[in-house]
Structures are given as C-alpha cells and as structure tokens.
Amino acid sequence: KFVTDEESPLWWGLLLAVAYLVVQMVYVIIDNNVAMGMMGLGLRIRSSMISAICRKLLVLRLDALASFSTGKLNNLITTDVDKARRAIRYLHYLIISPIKLVISLYSLHSLVGVSVFIGLAWMAVVILLNQVTMHLQSKLEDRQQTKTDERVRKATEAISAIQVIKCYAWEEPATEKVEEARRAELLAMWRLYCLYTVSECLWSSVVPVVTAVMFASYSLLNPEEPLTAATAFTAIALLGMVQEPLFAIPGVLNVVIEALVASRRLERLLVLPEAQL
C-alpha cells in the first residue's frame, strides 16, 4: 500500500524499513540463542545416555550380554546415541515451523482471499501421504540398522580371528561373508534413501503447485480484479516464507523417526536383567 499510495508520507516508509530491520535482527538473535541452547541440551543428553549404557554393561548378566555383539554395542554408543542428540537439536523446529506457516498463510489469505485454500489442496494431499511415508521410513530405518549391526558383527569377528583366518587361508570366505553383509546393508540403505527422496519431492512440489493453482483460481474467481504485479510478487514472497517451514518439517520428522528407532534399540539393552551384586 505504501508503494501504490502516492499520498503516503516518506517517514512512514522509513519507519516500515527500520521496523523490518529490527524484527529480522531480533529473530536472528533469538533463533541463534535457541539453537545454541538446544545443541548444549543435546550434548548433555548424549553424555547421559552413554553413561547409562556403560553403567548397564558393568552390571549386566552374562547370559543377557550374550544377545548383544560388540559391533551392535558400538553402534548403540556411536550412531544411535548421536541420532538422539540430533533430534533434540532440531526438535524446536516442530514448534516454530507451524507458527511461521500459520502467519504466512494468514497473510496470503488477506492478499488473495479464498484462492489460497484452493491452492493448499495439494498441501493437504502431501500431508496425508506424509503419514504413509513416515510409517514406511520407521520400518526401513529399523531394518537398515539391523543390517548394519550384522555387518559390524561379521567384520568384528573376522578381525578378532584374523590369525586363525590367515593360518587356514580362509581370507576369501571371510571376505565374502563381510561383503555379503555389506551388500545387504547397502540395499537396505538404498531403499530407505529412495523413500527419503520421494518424501522430499512431495514436499518440494508444494510451493510451485500451490502457486500455479492459487494464481489460476484467483484469476477465475476475480475476473473484475486482474492479478497485478504487486499482488503476484507479494504472494510469491509469502509463499517463499511458507517454503522454509515446509522444507524444515519433513527433515525434522525424519530425524525424529531415526531417534525413535534408536530409542527402541537402546531400550532393548536397558531393560535386560542385571546381575545381583
């Protein structure tokens, strides 16, 4: 309105520019402080989980410990614990992103009216499909971690018995077993990342599809008010604000799914019976 209204005073435009700058500076300061706090919290939780695992291994009964190989324990301490840390690091985006999304959509509704809801139909479809992909990702993530444990177990056994393997010239059979486990792991990883790609493609298609449908519906519903350059570029800028939380949400959900799978693996260790000291 300031650009199109010739009677607007100059000081009002300067005030808007300064207010926009101040808001952006405050946002950057708050966002970076929250990120630092969540990173520190994640590191403390990671240290606590490693301490809990080490303490559990010291008091675990031998028959219970036999169900966990050295490679699986290494994965628990390194990979699974680190996934929990990453989930804590990005968890606040699940609160911030929906708020930014609601504000951006409200601004779009004020600009183009009900056309924004017609354009958001594709977003609703993507959200419904995301429920299916999340369920599949959880299963594939668990399967991939199982294959990784098997590969690490076989590699650890081969390294531990390397003298016997060299003595009896069993290098090729031992190598074949490790390579077979690695191929199974790579296949599981390929399926998981193919699903990640499908999920990212669905979320990436939201902004262009919504933009095309929204502009088309606006032109059809408002033939007496043609789509101007000011309205179009403002709507595109607001859709750009919608794009950031839309891209953040699937990434954070993937990290949370990985953390949930890791927590179930850690739980299987922590609930094992302890020795009576």
Side-chain angles (χ1 to χ4, degrees), residues 107-128:
S107 302
L108 275 172
H109 178 263
S110 301
L111 183 65
V112 297
V114 296
S115 300
V116 65
F117 297 112
I118 300 176
L120 292 178
W122 175 246
M123 183 186 297
V125 173
V126 171
I127 291 174
L128 293 176

Side-chain angles (χ1 to χ4, degrees), residues 7 12 25 33 46 69 131 156 160 171 179 181 235 247 252:
E7 297 181 358
W12 179 245
M25 291 176 63
N33 277 277
R46 178 177 179 273
S69 63
Q131 302 297 323
T156 304
S160 301
E171 293 91 341
E179 289 180 349
F247 285 175
V252 175

